[in-house]
Amino acid sequence: MADKVKLHYFNGRGKMESIRWLLTVAEVEFDEFHLTNRDQYLKLLNDGDLMFQQVPMVVIDGMKLVQTRAILNYIAEKYNLHGNDIKERVKINMYTEALIELMEMIMILPFAQDPNAKLYNIETKAKERYLPVFEKQLMEHIYLVGSRLSLADVLLMECTLMLEEKFVGILADFRNVKSFQGRMSKIPAISRFLQPGSKRKPQPDDVYVKTVKEVFNLNISLP
Ligand code: GSN
């Protein structure tokens, strides 16, 4: 039997959270190793486990994978969540890149000097650039691409929940996206993931931010 998948990251969302979502939807069990201090990070570096000295790192199928998008693509390919052909795949990748772009804007907020100043810009971009695309596509489709669930749907679900946490009611003008969210939340693996006590991480708090800064020896805030 293959070894259980192992995630190396912080005990928080960050870039690993999309990987947690995707593994969950693929119904793949995983263990987590949380970085809580710099020595643990230095050990990973010394052991040569981090190809580019960065986490997320995922041990899967005898490999130590880094680079979030590469990891997501591997899992999506392996579990048939990456479309039926190259034309579906490129569409999934376009949606996925856009969703990662938007989620990263929110992800870095706790590390910014003045996060509140950035909120308006993120909300405007979400409403004017990103959500209209998904709203239009979901007007006549159950899934974003083709006739079955894909990586793009999983990330859209994750992203819409993140947006609603920051901007209550943001989906009011995006009824198709809101219905999509309702459908997604009924998928048994997602329904379980949304329950308290699952491996889904909460919004970042001060402990998470402090730990990340300590592990990477960061003394400055992002602009
Ligand atoms: O997408 C990826 O996995 C990479 N392109 C970036 C991963 C990355 O930036 N990882 C950070 C921690 S997670 N926060 O954003 C990291 O390991 N930084 C340490 C460093 O020395 O760059």
Side-chain angles (χ1 to χ4, degrees):
M1 204 178 90
D3 286 341
K4 204 160 162 186
V5 173
K6 295 185 179 64
L7 311 187
H8 291 264
Y9 200 68
F10 301 96
N11 184 18
R13 287 184 186 172
K15 291 180 191 292
M16 190 63 99
E17 192 68 356
S18 297
I19 296 170
R20 295 187 186 100
W21 267 94
L22 192 62
L23 287 169
T24 299
V25 171
E27 307 216 23
V28 177
E29 287 192 24
F30 56 87
D31 285 328
E32 300 209 28
F33 296 87
H34 294 146
L35 287 171
T36 56
N37 59 58
R38 185 158 175 83
D39 284 346
Q40 293 167 322
Y41 172 64
L42 294 177
K43 180 166 184 340
L44 286 174
L45 290 183
N46 287 335
D47 291 348
D49 287 346
L50 307 179
M51 188 186 280
F52 297 108
Q53 299 155 29
Q54 294 167 321
V55 288
M57 191 272 276
V58 174
V59 183
I60 182 170
D61 297 336
M63 300 179 288
K64 289 176 178 153
L65 301 184
V66 294
Q67 292 293 355
T68 310
R69 290 164 169 82
I71 298 168
L72 289 171
N73 289 345
Y74 180 80
I75 297 165
E77 295 276 340
K78 183 168 176 184
Y79 295 100
N80 294 320
L81 294 161
H82 215 184
N84 286 327
D85 55 37
I86 58 168
K87 289 191 172 175
E88 285 194 359
R89 203 161 305 140
V90 75
K91 287 183 198 151
I92 291 168
N93 290 345
M94 289 194 295
Y95 289 130
T96 298
E97 286 298 320
L99 288 162
I100 290 175
E101 219 164 71
L102 180 52
M103 285 193 280
E104 284 186 344
M105 291 180 208
I106 298 175
M107 208 182 287
I108 63 168
L109 283 176
F111 300 94
Q113 266 166 25
D114 187 359
N116 288 333
K118 298 190 182 306
L119 283 175
Y120 178 74
N121 183 36
I122 298 174
E123 184 175 14
T124 306
K125 280 234 173 77
K127 283 181 170 169
E128 295 181 1
R129 177 177 298 187
Y130 298 100
L131 286 170
V133 174
F134 298 109
E135 179 68 6
K136 184 159 178 266
Q137 182 64 6
L138 291 170
M139 197 179 297
E140 292 174 1
H141 300 91
I142 304 284
Y143 302 107
L144 283 174
V145 178
S147 55
R148 63 190 166 90
L149 190 73
S150 76
L151 169 62
D153 300 302
V154 177
L155 295 198
L156 179 59
M157 179 65 177
E158 180 192 0
C159 184
T160 57
L161 294 173
M162 273 172 93
L163 286 171
E164 286 185 315
E165 284 171 348
K166 287 277 168 227
F167 313 109
V168 175
I170 190 171
L171 296 185
D173 293 332
F174 301 96
R175 285 171 39 210
N176 298 314
V177 175
K178 191 67 196 167
S179 313
F180 162 89
Q181 207 189 45
R183 289 196 298 278
M184 291 289 283
S185 64
K186 292 197 182 74
I187 294 173
I190 294 183
S191 168
R192 289 192 297 274
F193 197 54
L194 295 175
Q195 299 299 317
S198 80
K199 289 184 169 167
R200 185 173 177 229
K201 300 297 175 198
Q203 292 194 63
D205 60 10
D206 291 347
V207 175
Y208 169 73
V209 173
K210 187 167 167 276
T211 307
V212 173
K213 287 184 172 177
E214 271 175 26
V215 166
F216 295 137
N217 246 345
L218 293 172
N219 299 314
I220 44 142
S221 293
L222 298 171

